Coordinates of all heavy atoms in Angstrom, one line a residue:
A194 N -5.6 -5.1 8.0 CA -5.6 -5.6 6.6 C -6.5 -4.7 5.8 O -6.1 -4.7 4.5 CB -6.4 -7.1 6.7
G195 N -7.5 -4.0 6.2 CA -8.3 -3.1 5.4 C -7.4 -1.9 4.9 O -7.6 -1.5 3.9
M196 N -6.5 -1.5 5.9 CA -5.6 -0.4 5.5 C -4.7 -0.8 4.3 O -4.4 -0.1 3.4 CB -4.9 0.1 6.7 CG -5.7 0.9 7.8 SD -4.7 1.7 9.1 CE -4.0 0.2 10.0
I197 N -4.2 -2.0 4.4 CA -3.2 -2.6 3.4 C -4.1 -2.7 2.0 O -3.5 -2.3 1.0 CB -2.8 -3.9 3.7 CG1 -1.9 -3.8 5.0 CG2 -2.1 -4.5 2.5 CD1 -0.6 -2.8 4.7
E198 N -5.3 -3.1 2.1 CA -6.2 -3.2 0.9 C -6.4 -1.8 0.2 O -6.3 -1.6 -0.9 CB -7.6 -3.8 1.2 CG -7.6 -5.3 1.5 CD -7.1 -6.0 0.3 OE1 -7.2 -5.7 -0.9 OE2 -6.6 -7.3 0.5
A199 N -6.6 -0.8 1.1 CA -6.8 0.5 0.6 C -5.6 1.1 0.0 O -5.7 1.8 -1.2 CB -7.3 1.4 1.6
L200 N -4.5 0.9 0.5 CA -3.2 1.2 -0.1 C -3.0 0.6 -1.4 O -2.5 1.2 -2.4 CB -2.0 1.0 0.8 CG -2.0 1.9 2.1 CD1 -0.9 1.5 3.1 CD2 -2.0 3.3 1.9
V201 N -3.3 -0.7 -1.5 CA -3.0 -1.4 -2.7 C -4.0 -0.9 -3.8 O -3.6 -0.7 -5.0 CB -3.3 -2.9 -2.5 CG1 -3.4 -3.7 -3.9 CG2 -2.2 -3.6 -1.7
A202 N -5.2 -0.7 -3.5 CA -6.2 -0.1 -4.4 C -5.7 1.2 -5.1 O -5.9 1.4 -6.3 CB -7.6 0.0 -3.8
D203 N -5.2 2.1 -4.2 CA -4.8 3.4 -4.5 C -3.5 3.3 -5.4 O -3.4 3.8 -6.5 CB -4.8 4.4 -3.4 CG -4.7 5.9 -3.8 OD1 -4.5 6.1 -5.0 OD2 -4.6 6.7 -3.0
Y204 N -2.5 3.1 -4.6 CA -1.1 3.3 -5.0 C -0.7 2.4 -6.1 O 0.0 2.6 -7.2 CB -0.1 3.3 -3.9 CG -0.3 4.5 -3.0 CD1 -1.1 4.5 -2.0 CD2 0.4 5.7 -3.3 CE1 -1.3 5.6 -1.2 CE2 0.1 6.8 -2.7 CZ -0.7 6.8 -1.5 OH -0.8 7.9 -0.7
A205 N -1.0 1.0 -5.9 CA -0.7 -0.1 -6.8 C -1.6 -0.2 -8.1 O -1.2 -0.1 -9.1 CB -0.6 -1.5 -6.2
D206 N -3.0 -0.4 -7.7 CA -3.9 -0.6 -8.8 C -4.2 0.7 -9.7 O -4.2 0.6 -10.8 CB -5.2 -1.3 -8.3 CG -5.0 -2.6 -7.6 OD1 -4.0 -3.3 -7.9 OD2 -5.9 -2.9 -6.9
K207 N -4.4 1.7 -8.9 CA -4.8 2.9 -9.6 C -3.7 3.7 -10.2 O -3.7 4.1 -11.3 CB -5.6 3.9 -8.6 CG -6.2 5.2 -9.3 CD -7.0 5.9 -8.1 CE -7.4 7.2 -8.8 NZ -8.2 8.0 -7.7
R208 N -2.6 3.9 -9.4 CA -1.5 4.8 -9.9 C -0.3 3.9 -10.5 O 0.5 4.5 -10.9 CB -0.9 5.5 -8.7 CG -1.8 6.3 -7.9 CD -1.2 7.3 -7.0 NE -1.9 7.8 -5.9 CZ -1.5 8.6 -5.0 NH1 -0.4 9.2 -5.1 NH2 -2.4 9.0 -4.1
G209 N -0.4 2.6 -10.4 CA 0.6 1.9 -10.9 C 2.1 1.9 -10.3 O 3.1 1.7 -11.0
Q210 N 2.0 2.2 -9.0 CA 3.3 2.2 -8.2 C 3.6 1.0 -7.4 O 2.8 0.3 -7.1 CB 3.1 3.5 -7.3 CG 2.9 4.9 -8.0 CD 2.7 6.0 -6.9 OE1 2.8 5.7 -5.8 NE2 2.5 7.1 -7.5
M211 N 4.8 0.9 -7.0 CA 5.2 -0.2 -6.2 C 5.0 0.3 -4.8 O 5.3 1.4 -4.5 CB 6.6 -0.7 -6.4 CG 7.0 -2.0 -5.4 SD 8.5 -2.5 -5.6 CE 9.5 -1.6 -4.4
I212 N 4.3 -0.5 -3.8 CA 4.2 -0.1 -2.5 C 5.4 -0.8 -1.8 O 5.5 -2.1 -1.9 CB 2.8 -0.4 -1.8 CG1 1.8 0.1 -2.8 CG2 2.6 0.0 -0.6 CD1 0.2 -0.4 -2.4
S213 N 5.9 0.0 -0.8 CA 7.0 -0.6 0.1 C 6.6 -0.4 1.6 O 6.5 0.8 1.9 CB 8.4 0.0 -0.3 OG 9.3 -0.5 0.6
V214 N 6.3 -1.4 2.3 CA 5.8 -1.3 3.8 C 6.9 -1.9 4.7 O 7.3 -3.0 4.5 CB 4.6 -1.9 4.0 CG1 4.0 -1.8 5.4 CG2 3.5 -1.3 3.0
L215 N 7.3 -1.2 5.6 CA 8.3 -1.6 6.7 C 7.5 -1.6 8.0 O 7.4 -0.7 8.6 CB 9.5 -0.8 6.8 CG 10.5 -1.2 7.8 CD1 10.9 -2.8 7.5 CD2 11.9 -0.4 7.9
P216 N 6.9 -2.7 8.5 CA 6.4 -2.7 9.8 C 7.3 -2.6 10.8 O 8.5 -3.0 10.7 CB 5.6 -4.2 9.8 CG 5.7 -4.7 8.4 CD 6.8 -4.0 7.8
C217 N 7.0 -2.2 12.1 CA 7.9 -2.3 13.1 C 8.1 -3.6 13.8 O 7.2 -4.5 13.5 CB 7.4 -1.2 14.3 SG 5.8 -1.6 15.0
A218 N 8.9 -3.7 14.6 CA 9.1 -5.0 15.4 C 8.0 -5.4 16.2 O 7.5 -4.3 16.8 CB 10.6 -5.1 16.2
S219 N 7.7 -6.6 16.3 CA 6.4 -6.9 17.1 C 6.9 -7.2 18.6 O 8.0 -7.4 18.8 CB 5.7 -8.2 16.6 OG 4.7 -8.6 17.4

């Protein structure tokens, strides 16, 4: 969850980009 928060803070909030994440099958 912390890794997701860090990606949101950098790529979405700071850079204004859309983040696209594809997790693997569980």
Side-chain angles (χ1 to χ4, degrees):
M196 292 191 289
I197 296 299
E198 288 295 337
L200 294 178
V201 167
D203 187 358
Y204 292 93
D206 296 343
K207 182 179 178 180
R208 305 194 202 185
Q210 300 174 1
M211 186 178 88
I212 305 174
S213 181
V214 178
L215 180 59
C217 63
S219 176

